Amino acid sequence: AQSVTQLGSHVSVSEGALVLLRCNYSSSVPPYLFWYVQYPNQGLQLLLKYTSAATLVKGINGFEAEFKKSETSFHLTKPSAHMSDAAEYFCAVSDQGNTGKLIFGQGTTLQVKP
Amino acid sequence: GAVVSQHPSRVICKSGTSVKIECRSLDFQATTMFWYRQFPKQSLMLMATSNEGSKATYEQGVEKDKFLINHASLTLSTLTVTSAHPEDSSFYICSATSWALGGYTFGSGTRLTVV
């Protein structure tokens, strides 16, 4: 069975600083990996996804993530944080492509300080 | 883009009553829909997977008699919380996918409060 671990339930950065949110996965087959963002009382918005193509994936709003098989990681980064990036971020894994069960990590709250 | 409409966005019901939550794919046919539950400040917990025209597959620990899921058409799935109790209060989110879509689209969620 697949699983995801997000290291750090809460990350705080200053506006303009680098954002790094960590995600490690476990999967018995080549995984599909996703990063989602959630604002209070809303659904999830896809930031980016890895589907076994390029290991460096670029997403929306300046976010990107790199798939590292040797480290079983898929960390999310953004060079310069904006106040509007403050939200809850979830890493997720599917071992059945784009249509199988999506299993989420515990989530990381990103706080951006002015 | 693919849109999933979830309704209602917020509902308050009395203990012992049943509540139905709808999840509709507006511009695509969803062969598979997923229902998640999210407690405050926590992650999304998968409750069940439903495929059009067949019975839902529930995750371990989820009471199928309490959380009734129906996926009668390619654009509609419903979750009915039967005989709701305060501990059922939570944020419920649906997600839809299809081979043609090549990804997941989430509804905006339903905040259920049982009083």
Side-chain angles (χ1 to χ4, degrees):
Chain A
Q2 68 273 37
S3 66
V4 169
T5 301
Q6 290 182 241
L7 300 176
S9 60
H10 190 99
V11 171
S12 182
V13 300
S14 297
E15 190 174 19
L18 171 71
V19 175
L20 171 61
L21 304 183
R22 300 178 185 275
C23 172
N24 287 87
Y25 70 91
S26 172
S27 179
S28 57
V29 299
Y32 278 45
L33 294 159
F34 305 78
W35 273 101
Y36 287 91
V37 61
Q38 185 183 33
Y39 295 98
N41 292 311
Q42 294 187 26
L44 276 69
Q45 181 182 15
L46 178 67
L47 288 174
L48 48 81
K49 63 181 179 181
Y50 167 76
T51 59
S52 74
T55 57
L56 182 61
V57 182
K58 294 187 182 299
I60 62 172
N61 300 339
F63 285 95
E64 64 179 40
E66 185 173 8
F67 173 73
K68 292 186 176 180
K69 183 178 179 180
S70 61
E71 299 177 8
T72 61
S73 68
F74 190 57
H75 302 330
L76 182 71
T77 60
K78 181 174 181 177
S80 176
H82 294 162
M83 296 298 294
S84 60
D85 294 327
E88 190 76 14
Y89 291 80
F90 293 97
C91 183
V93 63
S94 167
D95 63 1
Q96 297 180 45
N98 284 317
T99 58
K101 291 194 297 186
L102 203 54
I103 303 301
F104 287 86
Q106 304 90 323
T108 298
T109 302
L110 176 64
Q111 180 188 25
V112 182
K113 298 176 291 186
Chain B
V3 177
V4 169
S5 173
Q6 187 172 341
H7 181 80
S9 59
R10 188 179 297 267
V11 59
I12 300 173
C13 71
K14 292 184 177 180
S15 186
T17 62
S18 296
V19 173
K20 180 183 287 187
I21 302 170
E22 292 189 349
C23 181
R24 293 181 183 271
S25 56
L26 299 185
D27 48 5
F28 68 99
Q29 293 184 327
T31 51
T32 305
M33 287 189 173
F34 305 91
W35 287 95
Y36 293 87
R37 181 174 182 176
Q38 186 179 30
F39 291 104
K41 305 295 184 183
Q42 294 189 29
S43 186
L44 283 75
M45 181 192 77
L46 180 64
M47 299 175 66
T49 301
S50 75
N51 294 297
E52 184 267 336
S54 61
K55 290 184 177 181
T57 302
Y58 290 81
E59 295 298 303
Q60 190 172 10
V62 177
E63 300 176 60
K64 61 180 66 176
D65 293 332
K66 165 166 276 296
F67 299 101
L68 300 179
I69 293 172
N70 183 280
H71 192 167
S73 77
L74 284 172
T75 59
L76 174 64
S77 177
T78 60
L79 167 67
T80 301
V81 183
T82 63
S83 186
H85 290 102
E87 58 265 31
D88 299 324
S89 298
S90 192
F91 193 57
Y92 293 87
I93 304 176
C94 70
S95 172
T97 188
S98 70
W99 290 107
L101 186 64
Y104 305 85
T105 301
F106 286 82
S108 54
T110 297
R111 172 72 60 193
L112 170 64
T113 303
V114 184
V115 298

Short mmCIF file of all heavy atoms in Angstrom, two decimals, chain B residues 28-62:
data_model
loop_
_atom_site.label_atom_id
_atom_site.label_comp_id
_atom_site.label_asym_id
_atom_site.label_seq_id
_atom_site.Cartn_x
_atom_site.Cartn_y
_atom_site.Cartn_z
N PHE B 28 -17.72 16.80 -17.47
CA PHE B 28 -17.07 15.56 -17.86
C PHE B 28 -17.79 14.39 -17.19
O PHE B 28 -18.54 14.57 -16.24
CB PHE B 28 -15.59 15.55 -17.49
CG PHE B 28 -15.30 15.52 -16.01
CD1 PHE B 28 -14.98 14.33 -15.37
CD2 PHE B 28 -15.35 16.69 -15.25
CE1 PHE B 28 -14.72 14.31 -14.01
CE2 PHE B 28 -15.09 16.68 -13.89
CZ PHE B 28 -14.77 15.48 -13.27
N GLN B 29 -17.55 13.23 -17.71
CA GLN B 29 -18.15 12.03 -17.15
C GLN B 29 -17.15 11.37 -16.20
O GLN B 29 -16.05 11.00 -16.60
CB GLN B 29 -18.55 11.06 -18.26
CG GLN B 29 -19.68 11.60 -19.13
CD GLN B 29 -20.14 10.59 -20.18
OE1 GLN B 29 -19.35 9.82 -20.69
NE2 GLN B 29 -21.42 10.62 -20.49
N ALA B 30 -17.56 11.27 -14.94
CA ALA B 30 -16.67 10.76 -13.90
C ALA B 30 -16.91 9.27 -13.69
O ALA B 30 -17.92 8.88 -13.13
CB ALA B 30 -16.90 11.52 -12.60
N THR B 31 -15.98 8.48 -14.13
CA THR B 31 -16.13 7.04 -13.94
C THR B 31 -15.88 6.65 -12.48
O THR B 31 -16.42 5.65 -12.01
CB THR B 31 -15.16 6.28 -14.84
OG1 THR B 31 -13.84 6.81 -14.66
CG2 THR B 31 -15.55 6.43 -16.29
N THR B 32 -15.10 7.43 -11.80
CA THR B 32 -14.79 7.14 -10.40
C THR B 32 -14.90 8.40 -9.56
O THR B 32 -14.42 9.45 -9.98
CB THR B 32 -13.37 6.57 -10.25
OG1 THR B 32 -13.22 5.42 -11.09
CG2 THR B 32 -13.10 6.16 -8.81
N MET B 33 -15.53 8.25 -8.43
CA MET B 33 -15.60 9.36 -7.48
C MET B 33 -15.11 8.87 -6.12
O MET B 33 -15.30 7.71 -5.76
CB MET B 33 -17.02 9.91 -7.37
CG MET B 33 -17.43 10.73 -8.59
SD MET B 33 -19.00 11.59 -8.32
CE MET B 33 -19.10 12.61 -9.78
N PHE B 34 -14.50 9.77 -5.39
CA PHE B 34 -13.96 9.46 -4.08
C PHE B 34 -14.58 10.40 -3.05
O PHE B 34 -14.82 11.57 -3.34
CB PHE B 34 -12.44 9.65 -4.06
CG PHE B 34 -11.70 8.87 -5.12
CD1 PHE B 34 -11.45 9.43 -6.36
CD2 PHE B 34 -11.26 7.58 -4.86
CE1 PHE B 34 -10.76 8.72 -7.33
CE2 PHE B 34 -10.57 6.87 -5.83
CZ PHE B 34 -10.33 7.43 -7.06
N TRP B 35 -14.80 9.88 -1.87
CA TRP B 35 -15.30 10.69 -0.76
C TRP B 35 -14.27 10.71 0.35
O TRP B 35 -13.77 9.66 0.77
CB TRP B 35 -16.63 10.15 -0.26
CG TRP B 35 -17.76 10.43 -1.21
CD1 TRP B 35 -18.25 9.61 -2.18
CD2 TRP B 35 -18.53 11.63 -1.29
NE1 TRP B 35 -19.27 10.22 -2.86
CE2 TRP B 35 -19.46 11.46 -2.33
CE3 TRP B 35 -18.52 12.84 -0.58
CZ2 TRP B 35 -20.38 12.45 -2.68
CZ3 TRP B 35 -19.43 13.82 -0.91
CH2 TRP B 35 -20.36 13.62 -1.96
N TYR B 36 -13.98 11.92 0.81
CA TYR B 36 -13.02 12.11 1.88
C TYR B 36 -13.68 12.82 3.06
O TYR B 36 -14.65 13.58 2.89
CB TYR B 36 -11.84 12.97 1.40
CG TYR B 36 -10.96 12.33 0.36
CD1 TYR B 36 -11.27 12.43 -0.98
CD2 TYR B 36 -9.81 11.65 0.73
CE1 TYR B 36 -10.45 11.86 -1.95
CE2 TYR B 36 -8.98 11.08 -0.23
CZ TYR B 36 -9.31 11.19 -1.56
OH TYR B 36 -8.49 10.62 -2.51
N ARG B 37 -13.09 12.61 4.21
CA ARG B 37 -13.51 13.31 5.41
C ARG B 37 -12.28 14.01 5.98
O ARG B 37 -11.18 13.44 5.98
CB ARG B 37 -14.06 12.31 6.42
CG ARG B 37 -14.56 12.91 7.71
CD ARG B 37 -15.21 11.83 8.56
NE ARG B 37 -15.74 12.41 9.79
CZ ARG B 37 -16.43 11.72 10.69
NH1 ARG B 37 -16.68 10.44 10.50
NH2 ARG B 37 -16.87 12.32 11.77
N GLN B 38 -12.50 15.23 6.43
CA GLN B 38 -11.39 16.00 6.96
C GLN B 38 -11.77 16.63 8.28
O GLN B 38 -12.71 17.43 8.35
CB GLN B 38 -10.96 17.09 5.96
CG GLN B 38 -9.72 17.85 6.38
CD GLN B 38 -9.31 18.91 5.36
OE1 GLN B 38 -10.16 19.47 4.67
NE2 GLN B 38 -8.02 19.17 5.26
N PHE B 39 -11.05 16.28 9.34
CA PHE B 39 -11.26 16.90 10.64
C PHE B 39 -10.42 18.18 10.70
O PHE B 39 -9.44 18.32 9.96
CB PHE B 39 -10.86 15.94 11.75
CG PHE B 39 -11.80 14.77 11.89
CD1 PHE B 39 -11.46 13.52 11.42
CD2 PHE B 39 -13.05 14.93 12.48
CE1 PHE B 39 -12.32 12.45 11.52
CE2 PHE B 39 -13.92 13.87 12.60
CZ PHE B 39 -13.56 12.63 12.11
N PRO B 40 -10.79 19.11 11.59
CA PRO B 40 -10.07 20.38 11.67
C PRO B 40 -8.58 20.18 11.84
O PRO B 40 -8.13 19.38 12.66
CB PRO B 40 -10.70 21.05 12.90
CG PRO B 40 -12.07 20.46 12.97
CD PRO B 40 -11.94 19.05 12.52
N LYS B 41 -7.83 20.90 11.07
CA LYS B 41 -6.37 20.90 11.13
C LYS B 41 -5.77 19.53 10.82
O LYS B 41 -4.63 19.25 11.22
CB LYS B 41 -5.89 21.36 12.52
CG LYS B 41 -6.45 22.71 12.95
CD LYS B 41 -5.96 23.83 12.08
CE LYS B 41 -6.45 25.17 12.61
NZ LYS B 41 -6.03 26.29 11.71
N GLN B 42 -6.52 18.69 10.13
CA GLN B 42 -6.00 17.37 9.81
C GLN B 42 -6.08 17.11 8.31
O GLN B 42 -6.59 17.92 7.54
CB GLN B 42 -6.78 16.29 10.57
CG GLN B 42 -6.59 16.36 12.07
CD GLN B 42 -7.20 15.16 12.77
OE1 GLN B 42 -7.27 14.06 12.21
NE2 GLN B 42 -7.61 15.35 14.00
N SER B 43 -5.56 15.96 7.93
CA SER B 43 -5.51 15.62 6.51
C SER B 43 -6.84 15.05 6.03
O SER B 43 -7.79 14.90 6.79
CB SER B 43 -4.39 14.60 6.27
OG SER B 43 -4.23 14.37 4.89
N LEU B 44 -6.88 14.74 4.74
CA LEU B 44 -8.06 14.13 4.16
C LEU B 44 -7.97 12.62 4.34
O LEU B 44 -6.98 12.00 3.96
CB LEU B 44 -8.16 14.45 2.67
CG LEU B 44 -8.65 15.84 2.29
CD1 LEU B 44 -7.56 16.87 2.51
CD2 LEU B 44 -9.12 15.86 0.84
N MET B 45 -9.04 12.05 4.88
CA MET B 45 -9.09 10.62 5.07
C MET B 45 -10.04 10.03 4.04
O MET B 45 -11.22 10.41 4.00
CB MET B 45 -9.57 10.27 6.47
CG MET B 45 -9.63 8.77 6.74
SD MET B 45 -10.52 8.39 8.26
CE MET B 45 -12.22 8.59 7.72
N LEU B 46 -9.54 9.12 3.22
CA LEU B 46 -10.39 8.50 2.21
C LEU B 46 -11.43 7.62 2.88
O LEU B 46 -11.09 6.75 3.68
CB LEU B 46 -9.54 7.68 1.24
CG LEU B 46 -10.29 6.96 0.13
CD1 LEU B 46 -10.95 7.98 -0.82
CD2 LEU B 46 -9.34 6.06 -0.66
N MET B 47 -12.69 7.87 2.54
CA MET B 47 -13.78 7.08 3.11
C MET B 47 -14.16 5.94 2.16
O MET B 47 -14.34 4.80 2.59
CB MET B 47 -15.00 7.95 3.34
CG MET B 47 -14.78 9.10 4.30
SD MET B 47 -16.22 10.15 4.41
CE MET B 47 -17.41 9.05 5.17
N ALA B 48 -14.32 6.26 0.89
CA ALA B 48 -14.80 5.26 -0.05
C ALA B 48 -14.53 5.68 -1.48
O ALA B 48 -14.34 6.86 -1.77
CB ALA B 48 -16.29 5.03 0.15
N THR B 49 -14.52 4.67 -2.33
CA THR B 49 -14.36 4.86 -3.77
C THR B 49 -15.62 4.35 -4.45
O THR B 49 -16.07 3.23 -4.15
CB THR B 49 -13.15 4.07 -4.29
OG1 THR B 49 -11.98 4.50 -3.60
CG2 THR B 49 -12.97 4.27 -5.78
N SER B 50 -16.19 5.15 -5.32
CA SER B 50 -17.40 4.68 -6.00
C SER B 50 -17.21 4.76 -7.51
O SER B 50 -16.73 5.76 -8.04
CB SER B 50 -18.61 5.49 -5.57
OG SER B 50 -18.63 6.77 -6.16
N ASN B 51 -17.60 3.69 -8.16
CA ASN B 51 -17.59 3.62 -9.61
C ASN B 51 -19.01 3.59 -10.12
O ASN B 51 -19.88 2.96 -9.50
CB ASN B 51 -16.84 2.38 -10.09
CG ASN B 51 -15.37 2.45 -9.74
OD1 ASN B 51 -14.64 3.32 -10.21
ND2 ASN B 51 -14.92 1.55 -8.90
N GLU B 52 -19.26 4.27 -11.20
CA GLU B 52 -20.61 4.38 -11.73
C GLU B 52 -21.23 3.02 -11.94
O GLU B 52 -20.63 2.13 -12.56
CB GLU B 52 -20.58 5.16 -13.04
CG GLU B 52 -21.94 5.44 -13.65
CD GLU B 52 -22.36 4.39 -14.65
OE1 GLU B 52 -21.47 3.72 -15.22
OE2 GLU B 52 -23.58 4.25 -14.89
N GLY B 53 -22.43 2.84 -11.38
CA GLY B 53 -23.18 1.61 -11.59
C GLY B 53 -22.81 0.45 -10.71
O GLY B 53 -23.39 -0.63 -10.83
N SER B 54 -21.86 0.64 -9.81
CA SER B 54 -21.50 -0.46 -8.92
C SER B 54 -21.45 0.02 -7.47
O SER B 54 -21.47 1.21 -7.20
CB SER B 54 -20.14 -1.06 -9.32
OG SER B 54 -19.13 -0.09 -9.22
N LYS B 55 -21.38 -0.94 -6.56
CA LYS B 55 -21.35 -0.59 -5.14
C LYS B 55 -20.03 0.08 -4.78
O LYS B 55 -18.98 -0.25 -5.34
CB LYS B 55 -21.54 -1.84 -4.29
CG LYS B 55 -22.94 -2.43 -4.35
CD LYS B 55 -23.06 -3.61 -3.39
CE LYS B 55 -24.48 -4.16 -3.41
NZ LYS B 55 -24.62 -5.30 -2.46
N ALA B 56 -20.11 0.97 -3.82
CA ALA B 56 -18.91 1.67 -3.38
C ALA B 56 -17.99 0.73 -2.60
O ALA B 56 -18.45 -0.21 -1.96
CB ALA B 56 -19.29 2.86 -2.53
N THR B 57 -16.72 1.00 -2.69
CA THR B 57 -15.73 0.27 -1.90
C THR B 57 -15.30 1.15 -0.75
O THR B 57 -14.74 2.22 -0.95
CB THR B 57 -14.50 -0.08 -2.77
OG1 THR B 57 -14.92 -0.85 -3.88
CG2 THR B 57 -13.49 -0.86 -1.95
N TYR B 58 -15.57 0.67 0.46
CA TYR B 58 -15.29 1.47 1.65
C TYR B 58 -13.91 1.13 2.22
O TYR B 58 -13.46 -0.02 2.18
CB TYR B 58 -16.36 1.21 2.71
CG TYR B 58 -17.71 1.78 2.35
CD1 TYR B 58 -18.56 1.10 1.48
CD2 TYR B 58 -18.14 3.00 2.88
CE1 TYR B 58 -19.80 1.63 1.14
CE2 TYR B 58 -19.37 3.53 2.55
CZ TYR B 58 -20.19 2.84 1.67
OH TYR B 58 -21.41 3.37 1.33
N GLU B 59 -13.28 2.14 2.78
CA GLU B 59 -12.00 1.93 3.45
C GLU B 59 -12.25 1.28 4.81
O GLU B 59 -13.35 1.36 5.39
CB GLU B 59 -11.27 3.26 3.62
CG GLU B 59 -10.86 3.89 2.30
CD GLU B 59 -9.89 3.04 1.52
OE1 GLU B 59 -8.80 2.69 2.05
OE2 GLU B 59 -10.21 2.70 0.35
N GLN B 60 -11.21 0.65 5.28
CA GLN B 60 -11.32 -0.05 6.57
C GLN B 60 -11.70 0.93 7.67
O GLN B 60 -11.12 2.02 7.76
CB GLN B 60 -9.99 -0.72 6.90
CG GLN B 60 -10.04 -1.66 8.08
CD GLN B 60 -8.74 -2.43 8.25
OE1 GLN B 60 -7.74 -2.14 7.61
NE2 GLN B 60 -8.75 -3.43 9.12
N GLY B 61 -12.65 0.54 8.47
CA GLY B 61 -13.08 1.38 9.59
C GLY B 61 -14.22 2.32 9.27
O GLY B 61 -14.73 2.98 10.18
N VAL B 62 -14.61 2.43 8.03
CA VAL B 62 -15.72 3.31 7.64
C VAL B 62 -17.01 2.49 7.62
O VAL B 62 -17.08 1.45 6.96
CB VAL B 62 -15.47 3.95 6.26
CG1 VAL B 62 -16.66 4.80 5.85
CG2 VAL B 62 -14.20 4.77 6.28
#
